[in-house]
Amino acid sequence: MTPASPPVRFEVWPGKAYPLGATFDGYGTNFAVFSEAADKVELCLFDTDDSGRDRETRIPLPDVDAFVWHGYLPGVEPGRRYGFRVHGPYDPAAGVRCNPNKLLLDPYAKAIDGTFDWNQSLFGYNFGDPDSRNDDDSAPSTAKSVVINPYFDWGTDRPPGHEYADTVVYEAHVKGLTRTHPGVPEQFRGTYAGIAHPVIIDHLTSIGVNAIELMPVHHFVNDSTLIEKGLSNYWGYNTIGFFAPDSKYGVSATPGAQVQEFKAMVRALHEAGIEVILDVVYNHTAEGNHLGPTLSFRGLDNGAYYRLVDDDKRYYMDYTGTGNSLNVGHPHTLQLIMDSLRYWVTEMHVDGFRFDLASTLAREFYDVDKLSTFFELVQQDPVVSQVKLIAEPWDVGPGGYQVGNFPPQWTEWNGKYRDTVRDYWRGEPATLDEFAYRLTGSADLYEHTGRRPVASINFVVAHDGFTLRDLVSYNEKHNEANGEDNNDGESHNRSWNCGAEGPTDDPEITALRARQQRNFLTTLLLSQGVPMIAHGDELGRTQHGNNNVYCQDNELSWIDWENADTKLMEFTRAAAALRAAHPVFRRRRFFSGRPVRPRASGGNRLPDIEWFAPDGSEMTDEDWETAYAKSIAVYLNGHGIPDLDARGQRVVDDSFLLCFNAHHETIEFSLPSREFGAHWTPVLYTAGLDPNEAAPVPAAATVKVDARTVLVLQAAPD
């Protein structure tokens, strides 16, 4: 046991019940924590003695208002580590699990220091007897909350404020993106400072990225089961601190320094015009089910923070597959989430959020309700409602798949886009009509709620699943390294290995795989909606067939910069530049199909979009319903854009013809008649295009489009 009475005594004032957490004001620190279950709450302050061992001072919080226990301590400064001990009933069957022998993290901690030593003391029961009570002191084995310095020189920082339609999102892992980059100094690799390094920022801007979506940076826990296997929770979807940037991605070992480093990263990205979006996990915490550890929420007020089973409150409702679900029906849990979101916007300057398993947040009782209190709070919040809000529109509970059903101000990871585009390019039958919907912004999913094409966050690949290179190289998952006998991860990947499983020296297969990657990137970047690229897909990143690297913090999951596919990277830059240069690929409104401008040869008018069969005829209902059809051309009218620019002028662009051929044979496409354009110039071709040889093709001529390729043609006026 550490000494209970250190040589320093602290003066304690009543303080304030708001804001919650530890708030340093330049003179001292106010501490406030919610617990309706508590009879008494002790603030525990930590320093080190001369031998380097932790020394703890316990201070009962002197006042409580509306179940918020609080106290102000003059002289307590940033860097001080602390936690709470809660005295109260311990009755798991009734849903209460207070135990003052468990040191608890502050749910509002702005920084967390240390790790968890997985032993009996972290658990509220004795191993082998979940109905018993364990009173071992957890303080020596648990992480500590940290008082932070809230002051930071933001200079002239301001949010880039990109319109959704102009946004290109890059999903990235802080460590995986930078860990092996030779241009990043060794001490910065795998950190916030690494992402802020000019070589990383230059790479992002070179491929048109202006928003980086960081996988979880809220402080998370490495599961004991993974540690026992020599693995770790690499992805970070195991949150324990909703306000604290994880110290694992910091450079300095000083407690709390990671906050300043995170802010410096945001400032550097903003200077380059790159927004910062956080992947946040408010649907569950790292404390797991009834057999999990007592680290914070469980010991403070179990029934307030978690959804418990109504007829047996020792157990937890689990809509996430992780053991528990946060109780978003409780006002203090809702307050926690909203306070966290506002903090990251106002104090950390982030530009938006992607909500993991967002359907769970909509479960007030049992069913998913898009009009739940959480969404109402977001709607009326003057801060949170103004940033980018992206839902992962599903969870593992009944009725959890909610693509297309989120409220109007939300955008969504469009899982149907991913599935349809994958099916189309691997040659599945009867995909042509749905492919057309996905290419044009998924009006079938979003238009009925008053949303626009930008409601669709389009992606082919994300962190969860195959990389883009593996999507075209493997038919089956190969997750043996995860230690679960290849039973983890999705088995239905809609992938195609192009003729061989995994690495091959066959030149035809490798060429086809390269072409398929270009097909996916072209489709993604030229679709209406908001494209999202998964980190390293523009470089040919492979995980060697592992589609679930959540536990692989090693070369398997990190980008291999040394062996990057530079040709694929250059192609990605060209496709992104084409999107950026032409607003016809990033319309703010859905296509109408109505005529919008005079034809070049007379008084008739052209529609804003037109679909053609390869023979040049307009698509008929029969054509759309032909199961074996895999080739189509789409005309995008640059004069049919209903958008206005910043000066209120109508946006006018060039027109384009996109020829998609997912067939295994070369197809001849007949170009539209002269009224659509006198000539057509190839500007992008996934089979390879030499710009010096891209001669214009006259109207009504035929062009050969190689098997499994996309040809993009730009119209020249008469």
Side-chain angles (χ1 to χ4, degrees), residues 304-335:
Y305 284 116
Y306 293 118
R307 296 281 302 271
L308 305 179
V309 175
D310 288 337
D311 55 0
D312 193 343
K313 295 184 182 298
R314 79 186 65 209
Y315 299 114
Y316 296 78
M317 297 296 294
D318 181 11
Y319 299 116
T320 65
T322 60
N324 64 57
S325 302
L326 273 183
N327 184 9
V328 292
H330 192 282
H332 277 278
T333 304
L334 278 172
Q335 180 186 6

Side-chain angles (χ1 to χ4, degrees), residues 61 81 129 152 174 179 332 389 410 453 486 510 513 614 680 715:
L61 289 176
R81 295 171 300 134
D129 185 5
F152 180 78
V174 172
R179 182 61 184 86
H332 277 278
L389 301 171
W410 287 69
N486 205 35
T510 56
R513 288 176 176 176
W680 297 90

Side-chain angles (χ1 to χ4, degrees), residues 81-379:
R81 295 171 300 134
Y82 72 98
F84 296 111
R85 295 183 186 272
V86 173
H87 298 255
Y90 183 84
D91 185 359
V96 287
R97 295 174 180 266
C98 301
N99 186 338
N101 297 295
K102 309 305 173 186
L103 184 76
L104 306 175
L105 287 169
D106 181 358
Y108 279 74
K110 307 303 190 301
I112 294 173
D113 180 62
T115 58
F116 299 93
D117 298 329
W118 291 104
N119 57 50
Q120 176 69 79
S121 71
L122 295 182
F123 295 80
Y125 64 93
N126 296 295
F127 292 158
D129 185 5
D131 293 325
S132 65
R133 169 172 164 150
N134 175 271
D135 286 333
D136 294 345
D137 184 11
S138 68
S141 301
T142 196
K144 313 297 190 294
S145 307
V146 181
V147 179
I148 69 155
N149 179 0
Y151 306 109
F152 180 78
D153 183 7
W154 284 104
T156 59
D157 181 73
R158 59 181 298 175
H162 298 303
E163 295 288 337
Y164 267 119
D166 301 326
T167 301
V168 176
V169 179
Y170 191 81
E171 187 197 29
H173 187 282
V174 172
K175 188 172 185 179
L177 175 59
T178 64
R179 182 61 184 86
T180 71
H181 199 296
V184 177
E186 178 65 34
Q187 69 270 29
F188 296 154
R189 295 178 189 174
T191 70
Y192 305 121
I195 287 186
H197 194 276
V199 297
I200 298 297
I201 291 177
D202 288 348
H203 173 72
L204 296 177
T205 57
S206 76
I207 58 173
V209 168
N210 54 16
I212 185 169
E213 182 180 301
L214 296 177
M215 291 174 64
V217 298
H218 287 176
H219 198 95
F220 62 90
V221 175
N222 279 318
D223 316 53
S224 60
T225 54
L226 291 177
I227 293 174
E228 290 169 0
K229 296 178 182 179
L231 303 171
S232 66
N233 194 307
Y234 170 65
W235 280 350
Y237 291 94
N238 203 29
T239 305
I240 198 62
F242 295 127
F243 293 76
D246 201 292
S247 59
K248 290 184 281 294
Y249 303 137
V251 177
S252 172
T254 301
Q258 64 268 32
V259 178
Q260 304 290 314
E261 294 176 15
F262 182 92
K263 291 178 177 180
M265 175 195 70
V266 173
R267 184 178 59 190
L269 289 166
H270 281 182
E271 287 174 356
I274 300 174
E275 296 179 334
V276 179
I277 298 170
L278 300 187
D279 189 340
V280 290
V281 188
Y282 293 114
N283 53 74
H284 73 280
T285 79
E287 290 184 306
N289 62 17
H290 65 289
L291 299 178
T294 299
L295 307 177
S296 178
F297 307 91
R298 173 173 282 140
L300 280 162
D301 199 320
N302 187 54
Y305 284 116
Y306 293 118
R307 296 281 302 271
L308 305 179
V309 175
D310 288 337
D311 55 0
D312 193 343
K313 295 184 182 298
R314 79 186 65 209
Y315 299 114
Y316 296 78
M317 297 296 294
D318 181 11
Y319 299 116
T320 65
T322 60
N324 64 57
S325 302
L326 273 183
N327 184 9
V328 292
H330 192 282
H332 277 278
T333 304
L334 278 172
Q335 180 186 6
L336 171 76
I337 296 172
M338 295 305 299
D339 284 349
S340 170
L341 292 170
R342 278 190 295 270
Y343 174 79
W344 285 97
V345 176
T346 59
E347 297 297 323
M348 308 297 269
H349 287 208
V350 305
D351 305 282
F353 305 95
R354 177 264 187 189
F355 292 80
D356 178 67
L357 300 181
S359 292
T360 299
L361 299 174
R363 292 183 184 273
E364 285 203 335
F365 297 102
Y366 181 77
D367 295 327
V368 176
D369 178 9
K370 68 179 179 179
L371 299 179
S372 70
T373 304
F374 170 71
F375 294 112
E376 293 172 351
L377 288 175
V378 169
Q379 176 75 31

